[in-house]
Amino acid sequence: MHLNPYGEYAVLLAASLANDWPEDRAGIVARTLELGMTQTFPPADGDHEKVRVVIDDWLTIVDEPDPDARALLLNAELAAAAAYPRLTNHDNEGWHLHYRDDVPSLPYVLRAIISLGTSLHLVTRGMSRLGRCQAAPCTNVVADVTRNGRQRFCSVRCANRAAVRRHRART
């Protein structure tokens, strides 16, 4: 496992859930599988609501502009869910590292994956590589995974909308 792709996968998963919240637990599971998670977990009462809390907690990190405060928030998330690294070969997908306890809970696992992945994303790519779309009134999360670190919009549509606004403002 390369650290950067893990961070990228986790922040893209979190952003996807934040930007397009699934209707139910099945929608969350489908999204995790679609974006690369291989494990599934037995359903438990309140999973949908508990994962929403995980995403809302993550959004406080996204919305924190100060890198020092952002790091404190993220450290609190890591303390709540991360554990010492351990080798695992679940589902015969090959040996890799887990940074969490083996708790069969979808909300717990997502909190661990998202907090660790966000940490890796920010320390390897830069503390400013997570924010909101700059095309008002859009408020979608932008997890900047570009090579040059200049992604400001959540989609081509929002980028085009902002370009049209800039053009019209000049004329």
Side-chain angles (χ1 to χ4, degrees):
M1 175 180 81
H2 301 287
L3 294 182
N4 239 3
Y6 184 83
E8 184 175 306
Y9 145 75
V11 294
L12 293 176
L13 173 59
S16 174
L17 291 171
N19 293 341
D20 183 20
W21 180 242
E23 289 181 26
D24 53 22
R25 185 189 192 281
I28 295 169
V29 170
R31 188 80 52 81
T32 63
L33 294 172
E34 173 187 324
L35 291 172
M37 198 164 137
T38 58
Q39 276 188 293
T40 57
F41 302 91
D45 288 340
D47 275 354
H48 187 254
E49 296 79 15
K50 289 175 184 173
V51 172
R52 183 71 242 185
V53 170
V54 169
I55 297 303
D56 289 343
D57 290 346
W58 182 75
L59 287 172
T60 64
I61 295 163
V62 170
D63 292 333
E64 177 52 61
D66 177 60
D68 292 333
R70 180 177 266 186
L72 288 174
L73 291 169
L74 199 42
N75 282 339
E77 286 296 301
L78 286 167
Y84 65 89
R86 64 193 76 209
L87 288 169
T88 184
N89 186 16
H90 63 80
D91 302 326
N92 291 317
E93 69 178 33
W95 289 102
H96 60 282
L97 290 172
H98 275 189
Y99 294 88
R100 59 177 172 77
D101 290 326
D102 290 326
V103 176
S105 161
L106 181 63
Y108 177 82
V109 169
L110 287 179
R111 184 174 300 278
I113 287 171
I114 290 169
S115 62
L116 177 66
T118 301
S119 299
L120 292 170
H121 176 77
L122 295 177
V123 299
T124 59
R125 292 186 182 265
M127 289 297 282
S128 64
R129 302 281 294 258
L130 191 58
R132 297 286 185 157
C133 183
Q134 298 296 302
C138 183
T139 60
N140 279 348
V141 173
V142 176
D144 185 355
V145 296
T146 63
R147 186 175 288 210
N148 66 7
R150 296 183 144 180
Q151 185 175 351
R152 299 180 339 202
F153 306 104
C154 68
S155 64
V156 171
R157 179 180 175 199
C158 278
N160 288 342
R161 186 180 312 141
V164 168
R165 284 189 184 131
R166 285 191 310 273
H167 174 75
R168 287 181 180 160
R170 286 191 302 262
T171 59

